[in-house]
Amino acid sequence: PNIVVLISGNGSNLQALIDACANHTLPARITHVISNRKSAYGLVRASTASIPTTYHNLVPYKKSHPNSIPTAREQYDTDLASLILSLPAFQKPALIVCAGWMHILTPAFLTPIAEAGIKVINLHPALPGEFAGAEAIKRAWEAGRRGEIKRTGVMVHEVIAEVDAGECVVSREVELREGESLEGLEGRMHEVEHGLIVEGTRRVLEGLGK
Ligand code: GRF
């Protein structure tokens, strides 16, 4: 089955998906990669793997709705959905994977996508119900230093309108280590992410078949 991947940055999780498809540990094909940031290195990773890419730019929408960001974002999301729904049949996805995608998807996107029978999942570097939103790894690391938590983790969840709150597909705990640097924790978390993004995608695709 086809998947479309949404990215905003480095794309190390996209790379994990590209590699898993290439070595056939994931029975899927990435047919398109979309970024909301022009400078996202993940766009280079996609092109290197001969995957079509699109940069979906928020700026024109902010310019056309200077006094109303919510309207700009609504229009942006509507157009993002139609971009995906108008892909040629051989690129049309069964699943959309948000991998390092730093943009809150609104019902303007989620509703038409759901109506088309396409699932959306997101990788979030925290456990269900914890550290929703940005900089989750840093916030967990700081909570660890304050002795508030002993572990954090990573999850792949279904995307609904509420941020990082959809039904969990798969999650994995990551122990916090006394005195470890933030970079050290980030490195270990990204390792877990790269495995979980593939595992989460596999489970959802298997579920679609049934
Ligand atoms: C990862 O921690 C991801 O979960 C977060 O952004 C970081 C970078 O992801 N949303 P990637 O390297 O761009 O896939």
Side-chain angles (χ1 to χ4, degrees):
N2 296 341
I3 58 177
V4 165
V5 183
L6 307 185
I7 61 166
S8 299
N10 174 26
S12 68
N13 289 286
L14 166 65
Q15 191 63 58
L17 288 168
I18 290 172
D19 297 345
C21 292
N23 64 31
H24 308 295
T25 54
L26 182 64
R29 196 158 60 97
I30 301 169
T31 58
H32 210 100
V33 169
I34 300 168
S35 174
N36 65 336
R37 292 192 188 142
K38 197 179 184 62
S39 60
Y41 184 67
L43 289 170
V44 173
R45 295 177 189 271
S47 303
T48 305
S50 311
I51 300 168
T53 62
T54 300
Y55 162 49
H56 188 46
N57 179 3
L58 181 59
V59 171
Y61 297 89
K62 286 184 178 174
K63 284 194 178 133
S64 56
H65 302 82
N67 307 319
S68 157
I69 290 299
T71 308
R73 294 176 68 94
E74 188 117 275
Q75 193 55 55
Y76 178 88
D77 275 10
T78 300
D79 287 359
L80 179 60
S82 45
L83 190 165
I84 291 169
L85 294 176
S86 59
L87 286 173
F90 72 93
Q91 285 189 33
K92 196 167 267 100
L95 174 65
I96 295 167
V97 182
C98 300
W101 171 256
M102 308 303 279
H103 169 88
I104 297 170
L105 293 168
T106 65
F109 173 83
L110 296 167
T111 304
I113 290 295
E115 283 167 356
I118 301 170
K119 268 195 189 287
V120 186
I121 60 174
N122 177 53
L123 174 84
H124 184 62
L127 291 174
E130 297 182 5
F131 304 113
E135 299 200 317
I137 300 175
K138 183 166 183 284
R139 288 153 53 206
W141 179 75
E142 287 164 348
R145 280 186 10 144
R146 293 194 300 267
E148 290 165 10
I149 55 173
K150 291 263 177 284
R151 55 101 189 93
T152 181
V154 180
M155 69 167 163
V156 173
H157 63 91
E158 299 203 9
V159 176
I160 58 171
E162 190 188 342
V163 180
D164 295 329
E167 185 185 337
C168 181
V169 172
V170 63
S171 67
R172 189 159 304 153
E173 291 194 353
V174 176
E175 291 310 305
L176 293 173
R177 291 176 184 164
E178 187 78 29
E180 181 177 43
S181 68
L182 173 56
E183 293 67 30
L185 176 60
E186 280 172 343
R188 290 193 298 126
M189 289 285 277
H190 291 330
E191 284 286 310
V192 173
E193 287 176 343
H194 301 159
L196 219 65
I197 188 94
V198 172
E199 180 57 28
T201 301
R202 178 185 296 112
R203 291 191 188 191
V204 172
L205 290 179
E206 281 167 0
L208 294 181
K210 293 185 180 72

